[in-house]
């Protein structure tokens, strides 16, 4: 029996000022952690003669188990795979397979669960159709479905990336794009660049026990910005990647470079306590802390730090608890440099 494994990391985006530009692929520091921060597909080729609807049997495990559809034409991963196949003239899964999807990425928490599913779907379509698409070409397919090059770029290529769309279209969610008839994407519709990242830096992520849909968070943003605010973010976004790759690190400069005026101020009301977190947690008061921001659109909060991870996480949780009495998990994460992979097992 042929068995393949597709693995896609979770990701964080923006890092404060890099709105829709900066992305960072994430992984757990050990296998014993609560969240693996990756999506894994185990693909098993079934014997000929198996009668399965759509030639695809789906099992979902881990985060979101019981909430994701196991129907081939409804599950996000397989819908994306079918789009890739059909764009190459293949109507469906060519042979019967069992796909076990195990997610260790909390969904709707700003940790790239949707981007991971889209990337996994494109890779699945590539494998099932024996299409031999390059990573760059798969990047095009991903961005047709979800036009967030920051998360998609990090999930696909790994590491710390900056990305931009060459063909300017409004950001979109998979539920919107997959409801339309899609053709093959143009080639090279986006570009990405890998930045150096100082491996002394860890990501302390505080994950609240409530969901925030990216579309709803984006709906809080204004249609227009002042020149002053645009320049404020552009200046910091240009300098932050360089600062995060330096040795030695300069906490005061990084903290200032992680400030934002384009998205976080408008999302404060969606994450009770976040404004106070930004006001309270300063690099000069917490040794090892470099800066704090929303992870993507939130509601998870991300702190970049080199030490005192527990102290920093508990300080964030304490402030959030004062505003909203719900459960918060926290975890220390590292950069995932592998990006999306597919291998025989």
């Amino acid at each position: 029996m042929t068995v393949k494994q597709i693995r896609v990391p979770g990701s964080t985006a923006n890092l404060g000022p890099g709105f829709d530009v900066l992305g960072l692929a994430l992984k757990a520091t050990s296998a014993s952690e609560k969240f693996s921060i990756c999506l894994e597909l185990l693909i098993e080729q079934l014997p000929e003669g198996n009668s399965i609807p759509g030639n695809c049997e789906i099992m979902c495990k881990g985060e979101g188990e019981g909430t994701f559809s196991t129907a081939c034409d409804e599950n996000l991963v397989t819908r994306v795979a079918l789009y890739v196949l059909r764009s190459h003239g293949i109507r469906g899964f060519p042979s019967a397979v069992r796909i076990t999807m195990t997610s260790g990425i909390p969904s709707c928490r700003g940790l790239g669960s949707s981007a991971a599913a889209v990337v996994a779907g494109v890779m699945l379509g590539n494998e099932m159709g024996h299409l031999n698409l390059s990573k760059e070409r798969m990047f095009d397919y991903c961005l047709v479905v979800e036009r967030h090059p920051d998360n998609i770029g990090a999930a696909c290529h790994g590491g710390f990336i900056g990305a931009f769309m060459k063909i300017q279209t409004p950001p979109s969610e998979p539920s919107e794009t997959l409801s339309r008839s899609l053709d093959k994407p143009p080639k090279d519709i986006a570009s990405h660049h890998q930045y150096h990242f100082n491996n002394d830096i860890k990501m302390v992520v505080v994950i609240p026990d409530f969901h925030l849909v990216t579309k709803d968070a984006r709906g809080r943003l204004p249609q227009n910005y002042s020149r002053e605010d645009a320049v404020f973010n552009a200046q910091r976004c240009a300098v932050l990647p360089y600062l995060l790759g330096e040795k030695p690190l300069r906490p005061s400069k990084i903290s200032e470079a992680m400030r934002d005026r384009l998205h976080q101020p408008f999302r404060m009301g969606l994450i009770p306590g976040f404004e106070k977190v930004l006001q309270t947690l300063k690099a000069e008061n917490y040794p090892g802390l470099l800066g704090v921001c929303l992870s993507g659109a939130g509601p998870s909060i991300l702190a970049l730090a080199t030490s005192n991870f527990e102290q920093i996480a508990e300080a964030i949780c304490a402030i959030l608890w004062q505003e909203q009495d719900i459960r918060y998990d926290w975890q220390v994460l590292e950069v995932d440099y592998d990006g999306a992979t597919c291998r025989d097992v």
Side-chain angles (χ1 to χ4, degrees):
M1 178 185 294
T2 302
V3 182
K4 287 187 176 289
Q5 181 193 62
I6 290 172
R7 181 191 176 279
V8 185
S11 56
T12 188
N14 306 329
L15 278 75
F19 179 54
D20 281 357
V21 177
L22 299 179
L24 187 64
L26 303 172
K27 69 176 181 179
T29 55
S30 74
S32 61
E33 297 285 0
K34 179 174 182 179
F35 302 114
S36 68
I37 314 296
C38 73
L39 172 63
E40 291 186 354
L41 308 187
L42 196 66
I43 309 156
E44 303 172 76
Q45 199 79 40
L46 299 178
E48 291 186 15
N50 275 272
S51 179
I52 300 172
N55 257 356
C56 182
E57 177 184 306
I58 301 172
M59 295 175 60
C60 295
K61 298 181 178 180
E63 292 299 305
E65 183 177 350
T67 63
F68 297 127
S69 175
T70 56
C72 186
D73 58 351
E74 295 177 358
N75 183 280
L76 176 56
V77 174
T78 47
R79 286 181 72 192
V80 173
L82 287 170
Y83 153 57
V84 175
L85 289 168
R86 288 167 181 167
S87 72
H88 288 83
I90 305 170
R91 294 186 58 83
F93 286 85
S95 57
V97 291
R98 177 185 295 116
I99 303 174
T100 303
M101 304 180 185
T102 304
S103 177
I105 309 173
S107 61
C108 299
R109 305 300 220 296
L111 292 169
S113 59
S114 175
V118 171
V119 174
V122 171
M123 294 193 78
L124 175 62
N126 182 53
E127 285 299 314
M128 295 304 301
H130 303 288
L131 304 176
N132 297 315
L133 299 176
S134 68
K135 207 62 161 317
E136 293 298 332
R137 189 60 178 138
M138 287 192 276
F139 189 41
D140 293 332
Y141 276 89
C142 292
L143 288 170
V144 165
V145 179
E146 180 169 317
R147 295 188 188 97
H148 296 291
D150 43 9
N151 283 109
I152 291 288
C156 188
H157 299 289
F160 178 31
I161 66 108
F164 59 85
M165 298 290 294
K166 296 180 183 178
I167 300 174
Q168 286 303 314
T169 56
S172 63
E173 306 305 317
S175 59
E176 300 169 356
T177 53
L178 289 172
S179 64
R180 303 192 294 268
S181 177
L182 298 176
D183 298 321
K184 284 185 181 180
K187 291 185 177 180
D188 300 321
I189 61 176
S191 182
H192 75 281
H193 177 76
Q194 292 275 353
Y195 298 115
H196 177 66
F197 193 80
N198 186 323
N199 284 329
D200 292 338
I201 305 173
K202 308 300 178 190
M203 282 58 69
V204 180
V205 62
V206 175
I207 307 167
D209 192 22
F210 69 89
H211 293 182
L212 179 56
V213 178
T214 300
K215 186 178 180 181
D216 295 340
R218 195 170 283 271
R220 292 293 187 102
L221 305 182
Q223 292 295 316
N224 299 291
Y225 294 94
S226 70
R227 179 184 299 178
E228 180 184 2
D229 288 345
V231 170
F232 182 96
N233 268 56
Q235 290 172 334
R236 284 156 180 78
C237 184
V239 175
L240 180 61
Y242 177 79
L243 293 173
L244 294 179
E246 275 192 318
K247 281 193 176 187
L249 294 163
R250 293 184 275 181
S252 61
K253 283 197 171 186
I254 292 172
S255 180
E256 175 61 34
M258 287 179 66
R259 292 177 62 199
D260 161 74
R261 288 186 183 176
L262 296 188
H263 66 105
Q264 291 184 161
F266 305 100
R267 291 165 168 169
M268 296 286 190
L270 298 173
I271 302 103
F274 175 59
E275 184 173 10
K276 189 175 180 181
V277 168
L278 288 182
Q279 294 170 349
T280 305
L281 270 84
K282 302 293 184 181
E284 58 265 28
N285 301 327
Y286 288 85
L289 178 64
L290 300 174
V292 180
C293 61
L294 281 181
S295 182
S300 295
I301 295 176
L302 186 78
L304 302 186
T306 56
S307 60
N308 295 317
F309 309 126
E310 184 173 357
Q311 180 192 11
I312 292 166
E314 290 184 349
I316 295 172
C317 289
I319 293 170
L320 298 176
W321 273 322
Q322 291 175 0
E323 300 293 328
Q324 193 172 21
D325 185 17
I326 61 173
R327 184 170 63 87
Y328 296 88
D329 291 302
W330 68 270
Q331 194 166 315
V332 179
L333 306 175
E334 298 177 333
V335 179
D336 181 292
Y337 289 102
D338 293 332
T341 59
C342 180
R343 65 185 184 93
D344 295 324
V345 293

